[in-house]
Amino acid sequence: MTLAEIAVSQPTYALRFISGKYQGGEFPLRMDREIIIGRSSDLDMVLVEDMVSRKHAMISTMGTGITIQDMGSTNGTFVNGEKVKKVRLKEGDRILVGTSIIKLVAVDPNQGELSEKEARARLESTGQRRQASTSAAGRPMSGSIEEIPLPDLLQLLSTSRKSGVLSVRSTEGVGKIYLRKGQIYFASIDDAFDVSPRKAVYRLLTWSTGTFELEPPDEKQVLEEMQESTEALLMEGVRQLDEVRRFEADIPPRAARLAVPTPLAARLRDLTPEELDCFQLVLDWGAVSAVVDKYPGTDLEAYTTLVALLKRMYVIAR
């Protein structure tokens, strides 16, 4: 294989904006280049926003890999939720500069590339268009949770100490996560009082489709502020998600109805207090969604208890 053939067979990379003012834009990366990112109009990639420094970061494709280096920016450069000085990038890495989340993606070199000049002009046009369509207060950070899952997004927001209300819209409902300097202190789903803040966070982490938007801070008084660190909440939420997935096939859909068979062959005195509470919820409410919402523990605890009742025929799904 010739050197020319090797060059053609190698993947070509681009920086794809998946959230923020320039969402939808893409900037090509060519080998043996150093690209300066910042607010100054004479740079290679210009991001006009307050949280971006005049010279914020540099991406280098010199040598055998791609690296990013912070250039002493005020608000920092983050890769996959970690604040970095200089680090090597790989495909799929997510970079946070200001309020823009940028993903390193491989693109087909045979499909033709934008020149850097064209890409810069398109980014500028995208930014102006999105800015014109937002309110004066501005909600620059938005995107799809298919592109950036909520655990990854919250890790970025935590490490960069962002404040605001992360609003998540999905077929599951509307969730809100309240952040103060990166710390999650409250959460809700459809403003329901049945679902505790902690339970709401853990459930939101299971949502895999929908959109998000970081809205301005809302300092309204809440009944219960969570004290755990965001990192601890995320770790426990992901652990619970993994546990639920292990017996997912045994869990009826949230829309399913539940009933108690008659006559009841099993003896109620054999149930634990937690199982009796769940049994009572089935009698009172009937639907899986209501039982899980009103169960005093987490979704994992509710599903574990409900599956135990189903397997022992205390409860049946319709």
Side-chain angles (χ1 to χ4, degrees), residues 21-188:
K21 179 179 177 180
Y22 301 94
Q23 183 183 345
E26 200 166 287
F27 194 92
L29 291 181
R30 291 180 174 79
M31 300 310 294
D32 299 322
R33 284 278 285 122
E34 289 182 342
I35 296 169
I36 308 296
I37 303 171
R39 201 172 67 244
S40 180
S41 60
D42 60 346
L43 300 181
D44 305 297
M45 185 191 294
V46 182
L47 304 181
V48 184
E49 56 172 290
D50 292 341
M51 294 186 68
V52 175
S53 298
R54 289 182 62 80
K55 286 188 176 181
H56 197 105
M58 178 178 70
I59 292 183
S60 172
T61 58
M62 309 290 284
T64 58
I66 302 172
T67 61
I68 186 167
Q69 177 179 347
D70 185 78
M71 301 185 73
S73 65
T74 302
N75 293 296
T77 302
F78 301 83
V79 176
N80 299 330
E82 298 293 330
K83 192 173 185 178
V84 300
K85 290 185 177 179
K86 184 176 182 179
V87 70
R88 185 166 178 166
L89 298 173
K90 62 183 184 299
E91 183 182 350
D93 281 348
R94 298 180 180 95
I95 305 158
L96 177 66
V97 175
T99 61
S100 290
I101 301 175
I102 309 165
K103 186 176 182 180
L104 180 65
V105 298
V107 295
D108 186 349
N110 299 316
Q111 290 184 348
E113 287 185 18
L114 288 174
S115 68
E116 288 184 7
K117 183 177 180 181
E118 290 171 324
R120 178 173 166 171
R122 288 194 182 186
L123 276 183
E124 182 179 349
S125 175
T126 298
Q128 290 174 347
R129 185 170 61 252
R130 285 181 62 83
Q131 187 171 16
S133 66
T134 58
S135 66
R139 293 183 174 90
M141 186 175 281
S142 62
S144 161
I145 58 177
E146 288 96 331
E147 278 277 16
I148 177 165
L150 282 177
D152 295 349
L153 176 61
L154 287 166
Q155 181 66 46
L156 278 172
L157 297 177
S158 171
T159 312
S160 56
R161 296 176 59 81
K162 292 285 192 293
S163 296
V165 181
L166 184 66
S167 179
V168 186
R169 297 180 181 276
S170 168
T171 55
E172 306 273 357
V174 178
K176 292 185 177 181
I177 298 176
Y178 295 73
L179 298 119
R180 186 186 296 125
K181 293 184 178 179
Q183 172 64 43
I184 298 173
Y185 67 91
F186 189 72
S188 66

Side-chain angles (χ1 to χ4, degrees), residues 149-152 201-208 233-248 251 298-301 303:
L150 282 177
D152 295 349
V201 171
Y202 296 155
R203 186 180 298 176
L204 283 166
L205 295 179
T206 70
W207 291 7
S208 57
L233 286 168
L234 292 178
M235 288 179 64
E236 176 60 18
V238 171
R239 183 194 72 80
Q240 291 197 19
L241 175 58
D242 289 340
E243 289 292 323
V244 169
R245 283 173 175 165
R246 294 166 91 179
F247 57 89
E248 202 165 23
I251 302 173
T298 64
D299 284 359
L300 172 61
E301 293 165 339
Y303 284 132

Side-chain angles (χ1 to χ4, degrees), residues 193-220:
F193 292 106
D194 292 335
V195 181
S196 71
R198 196 170 286 99
K199 188 172 184 173
V201 171
Y202 296 155
R203 186 180 298 176
L204 283 166
L205 295 179
T206 70
W207 291 7
S208 57
T209 61
T211 60
F212 69 85
E213 183 174 49
L214 185 63
E215 301 175 347
D218 182 350
E219 291 299 333
K220 70 177 181 181

